[in-house]
Amino acid sequence: MNTQPEPNRGRGGSTLAEIGRIFADAYRRLENERPCPPIRVEYYRFVGINHTVRLREGRLLVRLSDLFRRAPTPVMEALASILLAKLYRREVPTAARAAYREYSNSPEMRRKAQASRRRRGRKLLAGPEGSRYHLTVLFDDLNREYFKGRLPPVRLGWSLRKSRRILGHFDPSHRSITLSRWLDHPRVPEVVVRYVLFHEMLHAKLLAGSFFDVRNPHSRQFREEEQTFRGHEEARNWIRNCS
């Protein structure tokens, strides 16, 4: 979800004119046989970290997340290479991808992105009481059994649509856990619903830990703790065969 454009000047990072030149240089490296079209760059109040580039009436229109106002020049150069490569269907340079990910996945940018999603985004989900399973009851039971009752409360709810592909999701920005409404059915064993909920509760727990890896949320630490769930294999086998 987008909101509105930001004033066309950064704060502490490159100016928009400088960013325009960065995009022009990236364009010339990519399309060295064609003249560079006029480029307009602006900051935009996206919900999270998003950026767009479009070719409209012979002009390149670039919208950058306002969270990147203070991004250093090498990061902007990497971002320009990535956006233009995607626009012109070229291979994204490995070095550019790595530089961008390192910056956008840094603890500071993660905090800014989560704060932005809390302020600007909306989390749409139904209540925790389903026709078959009540998520609050299951959460409290799992919290006592596996987390010694120490996992802070989160917002719980069933998804608005039935999905067989995404069975659960933990949103750190809104501290919410959503389970697919497809699971709220007599055909689904309780151990499966408990397992999916436990899986998302682990994300809620490990996200706050110093060992959380945003690039690998299902880390070795995560997998080891996940296997402590009683009925782990039974639940996973059912999901593999039935979802």
Side-chain angles (χ1 to χ4, degrees), residues 9-129:
R9 184 169 181 82
R11 299 171 183 170
S14 302
T15 66
L16 292 185
E18 291 169 340
I19 296 172
R21 288 192 287 272
I22 288 172
F23 271 81
D25 290 342
Y27 178 91
R28 294 186 187 100
R29 289 194 298 271
L30 192 70
E31 294 282 329
N32 56 16
E33 296 183 357
R34 301 181 185 180
C36 181
I39 299 174
R40 178 187 174 187
V41 183
E42 66 180 10
Y43 287 108
Y44 203 80
R45 288 171 57 85
F46 291 107
V47 169
I49 299 178
N50 294 294
H51 320 279
T52 65
V53 60
R54 293 179 174 87
L55 187 60
R56 292 289 184 271
E57 298 179 352
R59 302 176 65 196
L60 284 174
L61 306 179
V62 181
R63 281 183 169 177
L64 305 177
S65 168
D66 64 327
L67 303 181
F68 267 53
R69 287 181 178 278
R70 297 182 181 274
T73 297
V75 173
M76 283 298 182
E77 291 172 344
L79 179 55
S81 296
I82 292 170
L83 290 178
L84 292 175
K86 290 183 176 180
L87 177 65
Y88 290 99
R89 299 181 179 181
R90 304 292 180 82
E91 184 176 354
V92 175
T94 301
R97 192 188 299 274
Y100 175 79
R101 284 181 174 175
E102 182 178 2
Y103 182 77
S104 60
N105 289 336
S106 66
E108 179 184 2
M109 292 307 299
R110 283 170 48 199
R111 287 193 295 269
K112 287 183 177 180
Q114 290 181 18
S116 172
R117 285 192 289 266
R118 282 194 296 270
R119 292 192 308 269
R120 303 171 184 175
R122 292 184 302 162
K123 190 67 179 180
L124 300 178
L125 68 164
E129 185 174 0

Side-chain angles (χ1 to χ4, degrees), residues 184-202:
D184 186 33
H185 193 278
R187 71 171 176 275
V188 181
E190 182 174 334
V191 66
V192 173
V193 182
R194 287 169 59 87
Y195 166 72
V196 175
L197 181 56
F198 173 76
H199 179 102
E200 303 308 329
M201 291 169 70
L202 269 183

Side-chain angles (χ1 to χ4, degrees), residues 135 157-159 167-168 177-181 183 193 196-197 200:
L135 296 180
W158 294 100
S159 65
L167 299 181
I177 291 177
T178 307
L179 260 61
S180 171
R181 188 172 290 280
L183 296 170
V193 182
V196 175
L197 181 56
E200 303 308 329

